[in-house]
Amino acid sequence: MRSTVGIIGAGPAGLLLARLLHNAGIESVVLESRGRAYVEQRQRAGILEQGTVDVLRAAGAAERMDREGLRHDGIELRFAGGRHRVDFPALTGGRSVMVYAQTEVCKDLIALQLKEGGPLLFEAEALAVEAAESERPRIRFTHEGREDVLTCDYVVGCDGFWGVARKAVPAELSRVFERTYPFGWLGILADVPPSHDELVYARHDRGFALLSMRSPAVSRLYLQVPQGTDAQAWSDEEIWDELERRFATDDDWRLERGPITSKTVTPMRSYVHEPMRHGRVFLAGDAAHIVPPTGAKGLNLAVGDVVTFARALAYERETGSDELLDAYSATCLRRVWQAERFSYDMTTLLHSDPAATPFEERLQLARLERIAGSRAAETDLAEGYTGFPLE
């Protein structure tokens, strides 16, 4: 097989990149190791930054998002029994976020790709990326029981942390920066309308809690739990009781309970691989960086990466200059590190560290009080949450 761009991975990053390239008149082939049903069902992020929303609209992939997504103009912080709302549009010149699940983004982009775009091969497992430094890098893959080779001008690895694309970067050229946190998130889906119309981030001495949603009828909630926790070790009643404790306020707010349909535990880590490009192989999304979910940055960072690549390749086609392609890694990493900083700040602001001293716990409260009492501090949070500029 032959294509201008070979894309490994049909998550939101790979699918959006294929759409952006199609709109620019550049051919691509997408290889996805899983089946279509799996891709359209796997639960991941659900918060889209303003920039991501704008990109999906410009790409012609936002019709259902605009109809079914939930625009949110703020979040609520809870600590010490009090409540403080952060008003995004008032602090950022009108920016907001959209609650629209990654599964739905993937469904929309898959439908568009199959209808209008280039080849999208499911159950096509990439085995290796070869000849990264040549003008014709190759992806060896299996599909329908046989091995094949996709020869490209460029390869973009949107294949996640465990994918093969990153292995194309020689170990002696790679630098890794990471941190593992001593806790994770016990996440549930529940068939009950959300108990608040915006996301609620709660700092409690017993641990962090998050109230989110997937739709007006389905709630998504999270509890901080020790690393290695078995989700099934928690009964439904224990989960609701603990959520109620951590969300408790001094007023008459109530947490609505309902049937829990899913329980999972998400580990927490920060990870960055530098560089994000070697030869004609480019890394995007979790293949290059991971953030703890507290800041809702993972999906949005991946979108920033593929937008940067698509713009750079279109520029090369228009001008003959590799300037933007050569700057890909540095351009993406500026945004990545700001998102890593924001996600780390949100995580350390709201979670209970089992090794924290009483002094550090009081500093947490002082930081939250600063946000609640300072427009400058509140603006910094709002700007980070609604998204850093797509360069």
Side-chain angles (χ1 to χ4, degrees), residues 17 33 68 97 116 148 151 155 191 194-195 203 234 238 254 272 291 293 310 319 325 330 358 362 387-388:
L17 177 56
S33 63
E68 300 178 11
V97 297
E116 303 173 5
D148 206 339
T151 303
V155 172
D191 287 337
S195 300
R203 186 268 179 202
W234 284 69
E238 287 173 328
R254 289 185 56 200
V272 179
V291 290
T319 68
L325 287 169
R362 289 301 294 269
F388 302 103

Side-chain angles (χ1 to χ4, degrees), residues 246-281:
R246 299 189 193 182
F247 285 124
T249 61
D250 294 336
D251 57 20
D252 59 357
W253 182 88
R254 289 185 56 200
L255 177 67
E256 299 296 332
R257 302 186 179 206
I260 294 175
T261 59
S262 171
K263 301 178 192 176
T264 57
V265 172
T266 301
M268 305 279 281
R269 65 187 304 222
S270 301
Y271 173 91
V272 179
H273 179 280
E274 297 184 5
M276 289 177 58
R277 179 243 179 131
H278 177 66
R280 292 195 171 216
V281 176

Side-chain angles (χ1 to χ4, degrees), residues 7-46:
I7 301 170
I8 309 175
L15 292 166
L16 178 59
L17 177 56
R19 179 66 180 175
L20 296 174
L21 295 176
H22 169 77
N23 289 348
I26 300 171
E27 64 177 3
S28 69
V29 173
V30 183
L31 306 177
E32 168 55 47
S33 63
R34 301 281 192 164
R36 179 177 179 178
Y38 179 89
V39 174
E40 293 186 339
Q41 292 172 7
R42 55 187 170 194
Q43 295 291 329
R44 293 291 190 273

Side-chain angles (χ1 to χ4, degrees), residues 350-363:
L350 295 162
H351 290 74
S352 296
D353 187 332
T357 65
F359 176 82
E360 290 167 322
E361 291 170 355
R362 289 301 294 269
L363 283 181

Side-chain angles (χ1 to χ4, degrees), residues 22-341:
H22 169 77
N23 289 348
I26 300 171
E27 64 177 3
S28 69
V29 173
V30 183
L31 306 177
E32 168 55 47
S33 63
R34 301 281 192 164
R36 179 177 179 178
Y38 179 89
V39 174
E40 293 186 339
Q41 292 172 7
R42 55 187 170 194
Q43 295 291 329
R44 293 291 190 273
I47 305 294
L48 308 183
E49 295 175 352
Q50 182 71 63
T52 297
V53 170
D54 294 343
V55 167
L56 290 170
R57 286 173 177 160
E63 180 182 351
R64 195 161 66 93
M65 178 195 73
D66 282 331
R67 186 172 66 250
E68 300 178 11
L70 306 173
R71 172 181 163 136
H72 279 209
D73 287 336
I75 58 172
E76 182 173 286
L77 300 177
R78 292 191 183 179
F79 59 98
R83 306 165 65 177
H84 176 77
R85 182 175 185 267
V86 179
D87 185 331
F88 292 155
L91 296 163
T92 63
R95 296 170 69 83
S96 63
V97 297
M98 182 80 74
V99 176
Y100 190 63
Q102 175 175 313
T103 50
E104 307 310 312
V105 174
C106 287
K107 289 175 186 175
D108 297 342
L109 290 169
I110 286 170
L112 284 170
Q113 184 71 7
L114 294 176
K115 180 181 179 181
E116 303 173 5
L120 166 54
L121 305 183
F122 290 105
E123 299 181 353
E125 182 178 2
L127 303 175
V129 177
E130 301 172 338
E133 298 180 34
S134 74
E135 293 186 357
R136 296 289 184 272
R138 303 182 298 273
I139 306 170
R140 283 197 299 109
F141 69 100
T142 59
H143 185 238
E144 296 181 342
R146 63 185 181 87
E147 187 170 316
D148 206 339
V149 175
L150 174 61
T151 303
C152 323
D153 294 335
Y154 304 94
V155 172
V156 182
C158 305
D159 50 345
F161 181 78
W162 301 106
V164 301
R166 194 171 63 250
K167 297 176 183 177
V169 183
E172 61 272 18
L173 299 180
S174 299
R175 297 185 70 196
V176 169
F177 306 86
E178 59 185 327
R179 173 171 180 155
T180 301
Y181 300 87
F183 42 75
W185 280 9
L186 169 60
I188 65 166
L189 282 171
D191 287 337
V192 59
S195 300
H196 195 64
D197 56 0
E198 293 179 334
L199 273 69
V200 177
Y201 287 77
R203 186 268 179 202
H204 193 278
D205 290 342
R206 296 175 62 91
F208 168 76
L210 172 62
L211 187 157
S212 182
M213 64 281 296
R214 281 292 177 262
S215 74
V218 178
S219 293
R220 181 75 160 151
L221 301 107
Y222 299 92
L223 283 171
Q224 176 187 344
V225 293
Q227 188 182 48
T229 293
D230 177 5
Q232 302 310 313
W234 284 69
S235 71
D236 292 7
E237 185 176 5
E238 287 173 328
I239 291 172
W240 285 118
D241 287 347
E242 190 61 26
L243 286 166
E244 202 164 73
R245 290 187 194 99
R246 299 189 193 182
F247 285 124
T249 61
D250 294 336
D251 57 20
D252 59 357
W253 182 88
R254 289 185 56 200
L255 177 67
E256 299 296 332
R257 302 186 179 206
I260 294 175
T261 59
S262 171
K263 301 178 192 176
T264 57
V265 172
T266 301
M268 305 279 281
R269 65 187 304 222
S270 301
Y271 173 91
V272 179
H273 179 280
E274 297 184 5
M276 289 177 58
R277 179 243 179 131
H278 177 66
R280 292 195 171 216
V281 176
F282 297 75
L283 306 179
D286 286 1
H289 43 73
I290 295 171
V291 290
T294 324
K297 289 283 165 278
L299 166 61
N300 297 290
L301 272 184
V303 168
D305 294 342
V306 298
V307 167
T308 300
F309 176 81
R311 288 176 178 172
L313 186 55
Y315 183 79
E316 188 275 336
R317 289 293 185 267
E318 293 167 4
T319 68
S321 170
D322 291 333
E323 177 185 0
L324 297 186
L325 287 169
D326 291 341
Y328 171 81
S329 183
T331 301
C332 290
L333 284 169
R334 282 194 293 272
R335 191 167 183 268
V336 165
W337 277 111
Q338 286 302 316
E340 291 283 355
R341 173 198 62 78

